[in-house]
Amino acid sequence: MQPTQFMDAVKVVIERDSRFDIGAYYFLKDALDFTVKRAMDNNEGQHRHVTASELLIGFRDLALQEFGPMASTMMSEWGISECSDIGSMVFELIAEGAFGKQDSDTPEDFANLFSLQETLAAPFLPTSHAVA
């Protein structure tokens, strides 16, 4: 998809549903690209469809890589608090033709895979040391 087409799709989505910041959609596109590249690297360079769980893990990993300890805060600023929010954005972009899907893909595929906020914060929480 051409950048202008993606930008137009995002504008239409935000006019219809303003729950998520425009930055969230652009980050989602980056996370999809990140995840597709990862899948190709693990599939001898062959392109293949990525699953919701792969996209969610890629989204999380890219957020941690790009924002570090601020990843959780950034997602909150963008209106993203759980995995199903990412699924909502994905299916809004599918409706506008910006993303593709397989017939078996559903918004429910994004529900409750893990606690997004906890998984973004966990690497930066202090570890507890038991005192003997």
Side-chain angles (χ1 to χ4, degrees), residues 66-85:
E66 294 294 315
F67 303 116
M70 296 300 295
S72 178
T73 301
M74 193 77 246
M75 295 309 120
S76 294
E77 288 290 317
W78 284 340
I80 301 170
S81 60
E82 53 193 38
C83 292
S84 61
D85 292 335

Side-chain angles (χ1 to χ4, degrees), residues 5-75:
Q5 292 171 318
F6 182 77
M7 290 174 11
D8 291 344
V10 170
K11 287 178 186 175
V12 170
V13 168
I14 289 176
E15 287 173 7
R16 183 175 56 235
D17 182 352
S18 62
R19 288 180 293 166
F20 309 109
D21 185 86
I22 191 169
Y25 288 96
Y26 285 97
F27 184 78
L28 176 58
K29 173 75 167 80
D30 290 344
L32 177 60
D33 293 343
F34 176 85
T35 305
V36 166
K37 182 184 180 318
R38 180 184 277 176
M40 288 176 65
D41 290 347
N42 293 328
N43 195 35
E44 299 176 357
Q46 299 297 312
H47 188 275
R48 67 169 179 79
H49 179 74
V50 296
T51 65
S53 60
E54 288 174 315
L55 178 55
L56 289 171
I57 291 166
F59 187 98
R60 176 202 62 200
D61 291 351
L62 185 61
L64 289 170
Q65 177 181 307
E66 294 294 315
F67 303 116
M70 296 300 295
S72 178
T73 301
M74 193 77 246
M75 295 309 120

Side-chain angles (χ1 to χ4, degrees), residues 92-130:
E92 289 284 355
L93 291 170
I94 289 169
E96 292 306 316
F99 284 2
K101 78 175 204 74
Q102 293 184 337
D103 291 340
S104 60
D105 294 336
T106 67
E108 291 76 27
D109 296 338
F110 290 87
N112 302 319
L113 183 64
F114 50 80
S115 169
L116 183 63
Q117 292 296 330
E118 286 179 22
T119 196
L120 292 174
F124 308 102
L125 296 175
T127 57
S128 60
H129 294 85

